[in-house]
Amino acid sequence: MITGPALSLQQTPTAPARWQQLWRDAVRDPAELLALVGLPGLAARVSASAAAQFPLRVPRGFVARMRPGDPNDPLLRQVLPLDDEDQPAPGYGLDAVGDLAASGGTGVIHKYRGRVLLVATGSCAVHCRYCFRRHYPYAEQTAAAGQWREALDYLAGDAGVSEVLLSGGDPLSLATPKLAEFTRALAGLPHVRRLRLHTRLPIVLPERVDEELLAWLSALPQQVVVVVHANHANEIDAPVAAALDRLRGAGAHLLNQAVLLRGVNDSVAALADLSEALFAAGTLPYYLHQLDRVAGAAHFEVPDAEARALHGELAARLPGYLVPRLVREVAGAPSKTPL
Ligand SMILES: *Cc1c(COP(=O)(O)O)cnc(C)c1O
Ligand code: SF4
């Protein structure tokens, strides 16, 4: 039983929210993950060096959406550090997208006209093996770390910026009061009309979309766009759909970005199912990214010719609004580059 003093302790503002407890309870040991999905034999293919460089991390609710006993499960493949990552691949490097060159101050990346991306935090609730952030020194260079001061100064100094993107890492890994601290100051900059969140948390830990987050979102003076990140229809179960519905209810426009990944979603059927599942959950497909060429991710690559063919077949099958734009990030380009 909880005693009186313990109860009052829980009511202090620093008590972790339920989503934060679930976050901390994430699976971090490859052997535990493989036991949970009934694939202990796959342990021989886990790479200790890959896991040391970018540790396994996956919320238990996401694990529950994996098919037990299937070594090719599309969700498992996104998170399990396999020995494929140790194969050297020419052309795969450490700063695949030129972020280090575009930095406009701590955690500020201004690459495209009118919109500024803030690396709000380096933390994510899930570690995706194909992500370029596995090599980027985001842990030190985050906008929230300095109480947002440098980022806000940068935004105040450029009236041409109409949209701010909170990215990361995952910006929703910050506690809601930390996000509110930023938007309170942002409200003093009327040229910033839109706030965009790039987040995978509503997908991998839908409990993050709690009452506190919704109250914050619905009170914002800016238009809000939430770009979630799901790569496969199996990621969108009933709790995720409900979380997306709550975000929409709070006034957010919902888009999805996916990465085209070998062995995860490299078929017309998988891509069509993803678009359908997203739309059923009130979310439009926005981008389908070609993989960033980051060291350790080469085995996920789908060649451009095959990507174009898949995209063409998708367009022949679905209404236009369910066909994401197939793009690649090219360092120095003025926008994402269509293939
Ligand atoms: C992808 C990206 C954006 C957003 O691009 P949109 O085409 O507006 O979605 C903005 N800034 C940076 C640095 C980006 O990488
Ligand atoms: S930034 Fe997004 S894609 Fe990269 S590890 Fe975090 S959640 Fe995954």
Side-chain angles (χ1 to χ4, degrees), residues 147-157 181-182 185-186 189:
Q147 271 57 57
W148 307 101
R149 202 58 266 163
E150 268 190 68
L152 287 161
D153 286 349
Y154 186 88
L155 296 170
E181 182 185 296
F182 175 67
L186 193 67
L189 306 177

Side-chain angles (χ1 to χ4, degrees), residues 61 64-65 203 206 233-242 281:
R65 286 172 245 163
I203 305 294
N234 291 2
E235 292 173 51
I236 303 165
D237 64 357
V240 171

